[in-house]
Amino acid sequence: MQAVSNKIKESKGDRLFLIVTYSLIGMLVLIILYPLIHVVSASFSDPKLVVTGKIGLFPKGFNLEAYRRVFMNEEIWIGYRNTILYTVIGTVVNIALTMMGAYPLARKNFPWRRGFMVFFTITMFFSGGIIPMYLLVKNLGLYNSMWALILPTAINVYNMIVARTFIESTIDEQIYESAYMDGCSNIRAFFSIVLPLSAPIIAVLVLFYAVYHWNSYFEAMIYLKDRSFYPLQLFLREILVMNQSDNVMMDSIETDSSKFLVAEGVKYAVIIVSSVPILMLYPFLQKFFVKGMMIGALKG
Amino acid sequence: MKKKYVLLLSTLLSVSLLLMSACSNTGNNADHKAPLANESTDNINKTGMPIANEPVHLKGLVAKYELVKDWNEHKGLKDYEEKSNVIIDWDSVPQNTFEERRNLLFASNDLPDFVMRAMLSPQLITSYAAAGQIIPLDDLIDAGYAPNLSALMEANDGIRKSITSADGHIYSLPNISEADGRIASSWINKEWLDKLGLEMPTTMDDFYEVLKAFKEQDPNGNGIADELPISGYKENNSSGNEFFRSFYGSWGFGGNSGIIAPYMDVDDEGKVRYIATDDTFKDMLTFFNKLWAEGLIDKEIFSQDMNQEVAKIDEERVGYVAKGNNNLWMGDNRSHYVQNPIFKAIDGDVYWTGVSPKVRDLGSFVITSKNPNPAATLRWADYFLSEEGTALARLGIQDVTYTIDGDGFYKLKDEFSNNPNGLTVDEALAEYTIFQGGNIPQRVTQNVDQSAAVLPEMIANKDVIRPFLVPDEKLMIPNFTEEENIQLSTYATDIEAFTDEQIVKFITGARPIGEWETFVETLGKMKLDKYLAIYQAAYDRWNQQ
Amino acid sequence: MAAKDKTATSPGSRRRRFALRKNWDYLIFVIPVVLYFLIFCYGPMYGVQLSFKRFNPAMGITASPWIGMDNFTRLFGSYQFSRILTNTLVINLFKTLISFPIPIILALMFNEIKRERLKRTFQTITYAPYFISTVVFVGIINLFLAGENGYLNHILDIFGFGPIPFLTDPHYFPGVYIGTDVWRNAGWNSIIFIAALSSVDPQLHESAQIDGAGRWKRIIHVNLPCLLPTIVIQFILQMGKMMTLSYERILLMQNSLNIESSEVISTYAYKMGLINMDYGFSTAVGLFNNVINIILLLAANKLAKKYSSGSLF
């Protein structure tokens, strides 16, 4: 911690402040980390010990059965491929449309922007529910295709508002003014000013949308029929509930508690397998936060 | 200025209204097609195989149990397809996502030809039938397209009565269980009894003494008083915790532990009673409150899940537990546990309430109004009610997965019952059988049942309680009319949720038993009488059929 | 296009019309967006009428019979109604008071860390819990908080506190819900604030530093004002969610002992509506919720407009 106070000489108060901040963050990270390590350890442990709460920080009864079960399942790989495809295409569509909506809403010279805002916000509160949506998807011919997962969720109003707020509060009116002086149209201003300056918010949007696509299963469950189109989450859910108690008890040739217990270990392995790739996204995207700041610095 | 927004908004809204009405015109065309309308019956044989002379193609929706292979690539079903000439294109939906899909297909009237393992509650069958989405099967049955079911119904009147809906029609096929699998068990730790030199209790008072001994005398010998005389786990359904239900019969309540009709049984005069307001029930609660107060019941019984319960059994900490129809689920310590006899708490008749009716309509198979070949479809499903068909469902293909011995007993081949790759039997049979997870039409008898229920020691366990099973005529299977369904929906949730909640409070002492009268009064305010009257009507209807 | 003619009459609208003529090119962006909302959001909205209907699937939504306010009377008439309403509001109130500000503080603290790699690592850790599935999340809650064997009670025991029945005493439910909610979501929710902070002009900091402002002062006078528009918008949106709670997690955390404080509108609707496929009823519950949500959102928006720079509309 000492090493941080460098370059410019910091006052005593600042040093104290930093120490407090660092210790708070340190404590917080520990609190958050402990259960996380537990999940990782549990995924490598003997499920019996997991259930009885014997696993602390380190795996006990080291055991790869859960991972074997997850990876032996060839459908997992099909699911991975599909999920990556849906996430990439879906996110591109999301970002494009969201920014296209957010930009005019953030501009004072766009007439009726309040009206549009109301028009968009209403949809956060009133939806027709699942039945009309299903019929719509079916009638548009999207059923059992990738687009059923992408088009109906192409814009999230919440994200659009977030983007609008960012554009509105970080990009100075003067910058537009000088661009207009140079004969710049609103469209060109979007590409030459707004997009570059919005790097941090686009990074956030990518994160929000990509994570949404990565984790979503409900649309897939309803709109997809062919197993070869299933995303990862659907296959994982299937593994997850496999051997779950209630039904098995009813009618089964052999009911053995060890089977429930395997499922217990699988629960943890599934989390690791499904979240690690998407967790990697943050450190990568965070670079754009910094980049955005640099451009922000240049503008002055 | 404000006007502009309003104008813009209203323009946009009216455009969308136009769009709405365009959308809403689709998908509402219910076709109420009479069965047999345009099916060429010459093509369909009423007995024997093939079912159809010329191949019949059908679209089926099925809840694929996780351990069963995709129904389109299933060896057992392919074998049946060749035999029957009924070729099915399956929408094989994983069971954990099935309900959403099924409900949506029905809600948007986008129906398959039939649904297998449909898992429709009687309420849903009634409302889909009322909406004309599923068709009555009785005409087809009477015309001879369900030879196996017809033969069974002739031999046993009880069957028709059990599968007939409130409107007098049959919509689904039964699951007939003549094997011990229908009897649920509870388990007492015999090893502990022996260690402490205790007799097997036969009355509630003896049982109480035994539980106290379990708690205080360290039967697992680890020197810590970590014994849990009674354990169990949190259930997500209503109708109380299983440990508690397992004792209903000790106080003379019949019924099906309230699984089919929550907190209800039928007295000797044929009156439906709400047992949770009975004074005897209050005695029962007082007794359990005593057990709770003295720490004889696992404090986590209402909050832990089943895996945690199994783990405690595994650690040698549990004295009594009610669960399952065999004890294999209990893991390595299972040999310590035996079925306990009924602990009598009253002088009168006592029952074993952990029993399902022999014949149950599980809503497992329905034919929709879209089906052009209902007769062929019915025959296809009826096959599973024959011994041969049930064998296909449960054991697979003869000489490939099983053999039949001289006494007519079916036996799985060794490579399946004792798989060399370490697969469990259910897993090894994944592409040969469809019974995993239950919910199919079938007739399970001891000789085609390969489950743990046929093991000699399990039969011996069941013999302890067999004489006390609630008689079939008391195991009511209420079927409601659409009108009754609608009325029930307003009363049922409140009444059931309130009863569940208060009973737990009485047991744990969160509410003193002195407030019993208020509890009964509150139920009265929730229109318990109307609720009961609906059940009474349903019972009478069922009983008369 | 009647709208256009009318607008020409008032002087204020002339400016607007001029603005439209000059800025018509926004429409290239707006039209596809509006189309999306018309087709996928407004198109299916005819389903809302189910709140006043008894849904008959074979007849479809538009032809199902009207039953007036029956679904609403059923909701309001239930003995549980006042309880589930209170529980929902109490939990959401705590959410606004506790779960809402924590991510902001977190973002401000992270912003003080100047070592990039450390910062990134810490942030990745704090947002990781967001990815744990609900089922396992509740499993972990049980592990740490359940009964006498929960880890937390072991720790409390060391300090001489008796075991606390976190999961089985109804009084603790809102606290447990909020605490675990913060654990799981605070890191994730701070991302948006971190992004907003990254766009603060470094020059502002430099000149403040020259003026002799310490770190604390700069947070108050530089960072916070820059964050304010984002905070205000997030707050308004949070107000629009006051009646909403996802049923999945609560259902899993619910048990017969804590049900008194854990039954909320969404779990009740789930039990009554969705399990019995009573679409009419569940739509009605949704409509009731959202009308209140909108009222709260509009109120918050009005307040924000009066007292701060940012607002939703």
Side-chain angles (χ1 to χ4, degrees), chain B residues 445-460:
Chain B
T445 51
Q446 271 320 59
N447 53 345
V448 282
D449 190 4
Q450 288 290 306
S451 74
V454 299
L455 300 173
E457 66 266 28
M458 284 308 139
I459 294 174

Side-chain angles (χ1 to χ4, degrees), chain C residues 117-167:
Chain C
R117 184 172 290 177
L118 192 69
K119 189 167 160 184
R120 225 176 286 159
T121 316
F122 278 2
Q123 278 170 24
T124 309
I125 290 170
T126 52
Y127 98 124
Y130 180 80
F131 290 89
I132 292 178
S133 77
T134 312
V135 176
V136 173
F137 175 56
V138 174
I140 293 176
I141 295 177
N142 278 326
L143 197 65
F144 280 79
L145 300 180
E148 286 126 47
N149 297 320
Y151 291 160
L152 198 58
N153 271 326
H154 280 308
I155 296 170
L156 287 177
D157 200 35
I158 297 171
F159 295 103
F161 294 103
I164 297 175
F166 290 108
L167 300 176

Side-chain angles (χ1 to χ4, degrees), chain A residues 48 51-52 54 69 112 119 134 138-139 221-222 224 238 245 247-248 251-253 255 257 260 264, chain B residues 4 26 65 95 97 101 104-105 108 110 306-307 311 314-315 328-329 331 394 426-427 442 451-452:
Chain A
K48 216 174 248 172
V51 174
T52 40
K54 296 265 155 54
R69 262 192 118 91
W112 295 333
F119 178 74
Y134 174 82
K138 190 114 189 173
N139 292 337
M221 174 171 103
I222 283 171
L224 295 184
E238 217 172 312
S245 49
N247 297 311
V248 182
D251 199 357
S252 168
I253 285 184
T255 316
S257 64
F260 307 132
E264 195 62 24
Chain B
K4 306 307 128 39
T26 54
Y65 187 67
Q95 180 160 329
T97 57
R101 176 75 68 86
L104 197 59
L105 292 180
S108 50
D110 183 18
M306 180 167 167
N307 289 323
D314 214 69
E315 290 179 310
L328 289 184
W329 63 275
R394 302 187 71 83
D426 289 3
E427 286 171 325
Q442 58 179 341
S451 74

Side-chain angles (χ1 to χ4, degrees), chain A residues 10 14 28 32 38 53 55 107 109 119 125-126 128 151-152 158 162 164 170 186 204 278-279 282 286 293, chain C residues 23 25-26 36 42 44-45 106 120 123 127 131 143 151 183 192 195 198-199 215 234 240 290 311-312:
Chain A
E10 306 234 352
D14 275 0
L28 202 89
I32 288 173
H38 172 83
I55 309 297
R107 297 294 296 121
N109 63 355
F119 178 74
F125 295 98
F126 298 101
L151 293 183
Y158 172 87
V162 163
R164 181 207 75 165
T170 56
N186 288 312
V204 170
I278 196 88
L279 269 176
Y282 185 76
Q286 208 211 21
M293 191 171 74
Chain C
N23 297 306
D25 51 348
Y26 281 127
Y36 161 79
Y42 284 91
M45 231 179 251
L106 202 60
R120 225 176 286 159
Q123 278 170 24
Y127 98 124
F131 290 89
L143 197 65
Y151 291 160
W183 180 79
I192 176 79
S198 75
S199 66
R215 280 176 181 270
Q234 296 287 328
N290 287 334
S311 72
L312 201 52

Side-chain angles (χ1 to χ4, degrees), chain A residues 165 168-170, chain C residues 104 108 111 193 196-197 199-201 204-205 208 215-233 308-310:
Chain A
T165 311
E168 203 172 40
S169 62
T170 56
Chain C
I104 303 171
L108 289 170
N111 199 46
F193 298 110
L197 277 175
S199 66
V200 173
D201 191 341
L204 288 176
H205 275 284
R215 280 176 181 270
W216 175 252
K217 280 235 161 91
R218 274 181 277 138
I219 287 180
I220 301 292
H221 297 293
V222 180
N223 286 343
L224 258 185
C226 289
L227 269 189
L228 202 63
T230 314
I231 295 176
V232 169
I233 291 293
S308 82
S309 51

Side-chain angles (χ1 to χ4, degrees), chain B residues 119-231:
Chain B
M119 299 186 270
L120 289 166
S121 66
Q123 282 86 336
L124 277 182
I125 289 197
T126 309
S127 57
Y128 290 152
Q133 292 183 298
I134 57 177
I135 60 164
L137 306 177
D138 13 323
D139 288 349
L140 290 167
I141 293 169
D142 295 338
Y145 289 105
N148 295 307
L149 178 63
S150 299
L152 287 169
M153 288 198 298
E154 212 150 288
N156 175 358
D157 322 327
I159 297 180
R160 186 176 267 268
K161 154 173 155 178
S162 301
I163 61 175
T164 301
S165 277
D167 65 357
H169 289 297
I170 295 172
Y171 292 99
S172 177
L173 297 183
N175 180 318
I176 302 169
S177 172
E178 288 163 15
D180 275 352
R182 74 191 187 99
I183 306 171
S185 278
S186 59
W187 307 97
I188 191 163
N189 196 326
K190 182 78 166 45
E191 181 120 330
W192 286 7
L193 285 176
D194 293 346
K195 209 180 235 171
L196 302 178
L198 298 168
E199 294 278 305
M200 178 66 81
T202 54
T203 68
M204 259 312 156
D205 293 334
D206 295 347
F207 183 52
Y208 168 71
E209 294 303 329
V210 165
L211 292 177
K212 260 183 110 68
F214 281 176
K215 172 94 183 162
E216 288 157 6
Q217 300 179 22
D218 191 26
N220 65 12
N222 63 358
I224 317 166
D226 61 349
E227 284 82 0
L228 302 163
I230 293 178
S231 191

